[in-house]
Amino acid sequence: MIHNREDVTQRIVATKVAKGLKWKDVAAEIGMSKEWTTAACLGQMSFNKAQAETVGRIFELPDEAVAWLQIPPYKGSLPSGIPTDPLIYRWYEVVSVFGTTIKELIHEEFGDGIMSAIDFSFDVQREEDPKGDRVNVVLSGKFLPYKNF
């Protein structure tokens, strides 16, 4: 029996490891980006019926798990404290060090508002460099101005 969405995520990850699958290959089968597909498989997005059925086939999931994939999840997978995973901590560090700068530059360019994480996309690519390969991440979110009332 599956008790929650986390049970489905654990099954997906275990099957991914066992089969040696790549997220980009899963994404290609459902017709979405590797970034969105990975987030959805890790429980941060919901799939439509056709996508969920494809993911179910790829990861050999029972019908109950396929149903869970279509339910809007509780978003936000990090614990409430400072993250301890080194890679995730570096993102926390980037926001801690550069967050006020990013905020200032967005406000200067767009005015008072936020960058949406709902109308949002991102792309992660390897950038070859003779001094050591680099991680290139592009974030793109719709600007949402605060409304006066």
Side-chain angles (χ1 to χ4, degrees):
M1 172 172 242
I2 297 172
H3 296 97
N4 54 48
R5 181 58 177 84
E6 181 59 29
D7 289 349
V8 180
T9 298
Q10 289 176 0
R11 287 179 184 219
I12 288 172
V13 172
T15 304
K16 178 186 180 292
V17 171
K19 289 183 157 189
L21 299 172
K22 298 284 188 191
W23 292 122
K24 66 180 180 178
D25 298 327
V26 176
E29 285 206 48
I30 65 168
M32 299 296 287
S33 73
K34 71 182 181 302
E35 293 81 9
W36 186 90
T37 300
T38 304
C41 286
L42 296 179
Q44 295 301 303
M45 303 290 167
S46 56
F47 290 103
N48 66 32
K49 186 175 187 343
Q51 292 166 335
E53 289 171 350
T54 300
V55 169
R57 178 183 49 76
I58 293 167
F59 293 103
E60 302 171 359
L61 299 172
D63 291 343
E64 183 182 12
V66 171
W68 274 101
L69 293 173
Q70 299 170 68
I71 297 171
Y74 182 87
K75 295 181 190 282
S77 59
L78 297 178
S80 59
I82 297 171
T84 57
D85 178 277
L87 193 142
I88 296 173
Y89 175 79
R90 292 300 174 244
W91 279 98
Y92 175 83
E93 181 181 40
V94 166
V95 172
S96 294
V97 173
F98 294 104
T100 54
T101 301
I102 294 167
K103 176 181 169 42
E104 180 67 21
L105 293 172
I106 288 172
H107 286 172
E108 181 176 275
E109 182 68 27
F110 294 93
D112 189 13
I114 63 169
M115 182 179 81
S116 176
I118 295 171
D119 190 343
F120 178 84
S121 64
F122 71 101
D123 183 48
V124 178
Q125 296 293 327
R126 175 185 294 258
E127 184 180 314
E128 293 186 14
D129 187 301
K131 295 179 278 180
D133 288 357
R134 302 181 65 79
V135 179
N136 187 330
V137 179
V138 176
L139 307 175
S140 177
K142 180 180 180 180
F143 179 75
L144 301 172
Y146 283 104
K147 144 179 135 168
N148 295 326
F149 58 94

